Amino acid sequence: MNTSQIIIDSNKEQKHIEAVLAQALAIAKTKVDAVEVAINKSTGINVSTRQGETENIEFNSDGALGITVYQNHRKGSASTNDLSVKSIEQAINIAVDIMKYTSSDPFSGLGDPEQMAFDCPDLDLFHPSDLNVERALEEAAMAEQAALTYSNDIKESDGGYFSSRYDIRAYGNSYGMLQSYRTSSHSLSCCVIGEKNGQMERNYAYTSSRDIQALKDAKSVGMEAAQRTVAHLDSRQVATMQTPILFSPEVATGLIGHLASAISGGAIYKKSSFLLDRIGQQIFPQWLTIHELPHLLKGVGSAPFDGDGIKTYDQNIITDGVLQTYLLSSYSARKLSTQKQPLKSTGHASGIHNWRLQTDNNQHSFNELLKIMNRGIVITSLMGQGVNQVTGDYSRGATGFWVENGQIQYPINEFTIAGNLNDMYRQIIAVGNDIETRTNIQTGSILIEQMSIAGK
């Protein structure tokens, strides 16, 4: 199938989905006071190779109609994969029946009509490709081959992978809002296993983009996977100590991701966050700001509206180190509102959108950060889920590199880093210009003044 045919077919599918939502809304509005409906239709291929041979070919096409009805502050939900009128009406009846048996919740209901995304900007998120299965397999195998021939220390492939997916996301409600948009996502990855002096290491590399033309070439992905694997071979252990820590970009995103979890509306109204009652307080150094940019063209985290149909907008999450807002859905906004301080949704019913870290001082290259640190540890991967969202206590298994005199000396493993996120955020010394662009959190390496290391 060529690109033009994919565009034509997806355009027809998008119109069909909007028609289905309109039909579901018309039926439901005869039975209840308020209703919202949504579909996320996903179509794509996933292929994998092992030692150059085809291992897996998977085609997927799925998407269910979700229906939520409201009346007298009661709520009922149901879904159906069958989009016929009969099945839609059955799902609506089930949702209505469920609603009758639920408890009244004064905070439930549709979002504020004034915040609805009745008009949606085109964010350039849909970039189809006519790449066929044979070519996808060739790309995956090519990445594998480049990795396997990089070094004699690379002993085995854990696979080459290629995926290409198209999504249609649609939402409608009884206020009259009915909007949809299309997205695409393409990725290529490779994972290999190395061995040296009886020690084995596994590592990977990947490239991803909404536009397939923006992917790195297969050979460079394979070589990067091999380089990362070889670099971690012959690892040593470190002693227990206190030392500066430099989070490489791919793990620094997770560090900022803990902030997103801690300031989510759900965590706040459940009082299960270490950042409870911290709006307007200093969380990070004064020179750091975190922008949210939901309307970046081709952005990984771009979206014209959230899961409640609320329009997204640019905003600062952190300004000069100070926490500006919690991440609120319509429900959590009502839940946290008081008579003196009524709150509205911040457009976060379905997660965050393109966070970007900005510093008032100069952002440094990775090598410059090594020199600033002088002696310490670079973290390249983390293991375990040792983060307590209530207290901020942080403890994760890690691998990385030992740094001495501002230069990487050798790989290290089998150690744990520990601290508290309150202290870690305040003790950020610098942020690098080696920006990770493949996730919805865009940050460079993050240098923290000091953390505890549990080693040998």
Side-chain angles (χ1 to χ4, degrees):
M1 182 180 291
N2 60 38
T3 301
S4 60
Q5 188 60 48
I6 292 172
I7 293 173
I8 292 169
D9 289 349
S10 64
N11 188 48
K12 289 180 179 177
E13 183 70 13
Q14 185 177 13
K15 291 179 179 178
H16 172 64
I17 285 173
E18 288 185 354
V20 167
L21 293 190
Q23 195 167 43
L25 287 169
I27 296 170
K29 284 194 293 184
T30 66
K31 301 173 183 290
V32 291
D33 293 337
V35 57
E36 58 185 347
V37 291
I39 293 179
N40 184 4
K41 178 67 182 295
S42 181
T43 304
I45 62 167
N46 297 288
V47 304
S48 63
T49 59
R50 184 69 63 92
Q51 295 290 354
E53 299 296 325
T54 300
E55 183 179 54
N56 183 61
I57 299 173
E58 178 183 306
F59 295 89
N60 60 74
S61 181
D62 54 61
L65 169 65
I67 300 164
T68 302
V69 296
Y70 302 94
Q71 191 155 317
N72 298 325
H73 296 295
R74 297 176 185 270
K75 171 184 173 182
S77 298
S79 64
T80 176
N81 290 305
D82 185 345
L83 301 185
S84 67
V85 176
K86 182 179 179 181
S87 293
I88 291 171
E89 189 157 18
Q90 286 177 341
I92 291 170
N93 290 336
I94 290 170
V96 171
D97 287 342
I98 291 171
M99 178 191 69
K100 293 176 181 177
Y101 293 97
T102 59
S103 300
S104 177
D105 184 344
F107 309 111
S108 70
L110 300 177
D112 187 337
E114 295 180 357
Q115 291 187 284
M116 291 292 160
F118 289 102
D119 296 307
C120 292
D122 181 1
L123 303 180
D124 196 23
L125 305 179
F126 183 60
H127 293 268
S129 166
D130 57 4
L131 182 87
N132 57 32
V133 172
E134 289 75 18
R135 183 58 185 158
L137 288 167
E138 287 176 12
E139 292 287 309
M142 197 182 305
E144 266 197 300
Q145 181 64 18
L148 290 169
T149 57
Y150 175 79
S151 167
N152 290 332
D153 291 330
I154 301 297
K155 304 299 183 183
E156 186 68 50
S157 170
D158 207 23
Y161 305 87
F162 195 100
S163 71
S164 186
R165 193 183 79 224
Y166 309 114
D167 291 289
I168 300 172
R169 300 176 183 179
Y171 173 91
N173 62 35
S174 46
Y175 290 144
M177 177 191 165
L178 179 53
Q179 294 289 339
S180 66
Y181 63 99
R182 292 176 290 177
T183 68
S184 58
S185 177
H186 313 280
S187 67
L188 171 65
S189 64
C190 179
C191 182
V192 290
I193 300 168
E195 183 179 4
K196 187 175 183 180
N197 297 329
Q199 183 189 75
M200 299 182 73
E201 290 286 344
R202 175 189 282 105
N203 220 308
Y204 71 97
Y206 77 98
T207 177
S208 65
S209 177
R210 294 203 181 278
D211 187 348
I212 199 168
Q213 300 300 324
L215 295 180
K216 292 182 180 178
D217 67 90
K219 289 184 179 179
S220 66
V221 171
M223 289 180 65
E224 183 183 350
Q227 289 167 353
R228 289 165 61 96
T229 303
V230 170
H232 285 82
L233 287 173
D234 211 12
S235 295
R236 308 181 195 180
Q237 291 182 282
V238 290
T240 297
M241 68 179 87
Q242 297 274 325
T243 190
I245 294 292
L246 178 58
F247 287 84
S248 62
E250 58 266 34
V251 290
T253 57
L255 188 64
I256 302 302
H258 297 311
L259 169 68
S261 298
I263 63 173
S264 69
I268 299 303
Y269 74 67
K270 293 174 185 174
K271 300 187 183 301
S272 59
S273 170
F274 68 95
L275 293 178
L276 189 66
D277 299 324
R278 298 290 295 277
I279 295 290
Q281 295 186 21
Q282 196 85 27
I283 305 297
F284 288 88
Q286 190 172 1
W287 46 262
L288 191 147
T289 292
I290 299 179
H291 304 289
E292 181 170 66
L293 305 167
H295 296 173
L296 282 180
L297 299 183
K298 295 187 181 181
V300 175
S302 295
F305 54 83
D306 73 355
D308 289 340
I310 303 296
K311 58 188 174 185
T312 54
Y313 57 94
D314 292 356
Q315 57 187 307
N316 281 359
I317 307 302
I318 301 288
T319 301
D320 300 330
V322 175
L323 180 62
Q324 301 297 306
T325 182
Y326 291 134
L327 310 180
L328 305 178
S329 64
S330 298
Y331 181 84
S332 59
R334 294 189 190 108
K335 191 92 170 174
L336 291 167
S337 287
T338 63
Q339 191 169 7
K340 291 184 178 180
Q341 188 180 21
L343 299 174
K344 290 189 174 184
S345 168
T346 57
H348 290 102
S350 47
I352 64 175
H353 313 284
N354 299 322
W355 280 16
R356 181 174 288 176
L357 274 68
Q358 178 180 311
T359 63
D360 292 340
N361 51 16
N362 293 328
Q363 289 187 315
H364 303 276
S365 70
F366 181 75
N367 287 334
E368 287 172 339
L369 289 176
L370 291 178
K371 289 181 171 57
I372 293 171
M373 181 168 66
N374 186 46
R375 182 177 187 269
I377 291 174
V378 175
I379 302 297
T380 56
S381 66
L382 293 164
M383 294 154 281
Q385 303 295 322
V387 181
N388 188 321
Q389 187 172 278
V390 178
T391 64
D393 289 338
Y394 183 100
S395 179
R396 307 280 303 274
T399 59
F401 298 96
W402 177 252
V403 175
E404 196 80 47
N405 298 320
Q407 293 185 329
I408 290 175
Q409 302 296 318
Y410 49 80
I412 54 177
N413 63 8
E414 297 182 8
F415 64 97
T416 300
I417 59 173
N420 184 279
L421 287 167
N422 280 302
D423 300 327
M424 292 162 65
Y425 290 156
R426 286 195 300 267
Q427 292 177 13
I428 293 177
I429 296 173
V431 177
N433 61 12
D434 48 346
I435 308 297
E436 170 62 74
T437 59
R438 297 168 295 183
T439 73
N440 58 2
I441 296 176
Q442 298 177 8
T443 178
S445 300
I446 292 178
L447 177 59
I448 293 180
E449 182 179 351
Q450 184 171 271
M451 292 185 68
S452 298
I453 306 300
K456 63 181 180 180

